[in-house]
């Protein structure tokens, strides 16, 4: 969410310029949503990699079994994208240019 706040606040001139040359609010919203989803998915992927790596590391170090469920990983990845959509849309809707 903080990234989206900074993104909208820092780019008000760009948004104004795009609107001046004919961009519609929908175009600008889709740009911010795309950026928010991309950032969230990258963050989700990195989090999943750290989580899987950490659980495998603890499993090997502690001689414990690691049970990774693909459904849990899929849910985590989906939720990270949903967070990006939610905060990208809310942030843009609250701070229109």
């Amino acid at each position: 969410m903080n990234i989206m706040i900074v993104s909208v606040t820092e780019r008000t001139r760009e948004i104004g310029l795009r609107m001046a040359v004919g961009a519609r609010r929908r175009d600008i919203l889709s740009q911010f949503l795309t950026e928010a989803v991309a950032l969230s998915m990258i963050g989700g992927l990195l989090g999943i990699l750290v989580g899987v790596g950490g659980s495998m590391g603890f499993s090997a170090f502690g001689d414990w079994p690691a049970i990774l469920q693909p459904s849990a990983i899929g849910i985590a990845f989906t939720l990270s994208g949903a967070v990006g959509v939610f905060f990208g849309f809310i942030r843009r809707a609250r701070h229109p240019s």
Side-chain angles (χ1 to χ4, degrees):
M1 182 175 139
N2 288 335
I3 290 173
M4 291 310 300
I5 291 170
V6 170
S7 180
V8 172
T9 304
E10 296 270 330
R11 295 166 65 187
T12 53
R13 287 185 182 176
E14 175 191 340
I15 295 167
L17 180 63
R18 288 188 66 203
M19 291 183 87
V21 296
R24 294 169 294 190
R25 292 176 65 92
R26 182 177 62 206
D27 299 329
I28 295 169
L29 178 62
S30 67
Q31 174 188 346
F32 277 94
L33 283 176
T34 303
E35 291 175 9
V37 170
L39 286 172
S40 295
M41 296 301 241
I42 290 169
L45 184 61
L46 290 174
I48 288 168
L49 291 175
V50 168
V52 168
S55 66
M56 292 299 191
F58 281 120
S59 175
F61 179 71
D63 212 20
W64 298 312
I67 302 171
L68 300 173
Q69 296 180 349
S71 62
I73 294 172
I75 291 170
F77 195 63
T78 302
L79 285 177
S80 71
V83 166
V85 169
F86 178 74
F87 284 113
F89 183 72
I90 294 298
R91 189 65 227 156
R92 180 65 188 126
R94 286 179 154 194
H95 198 317
S97 296

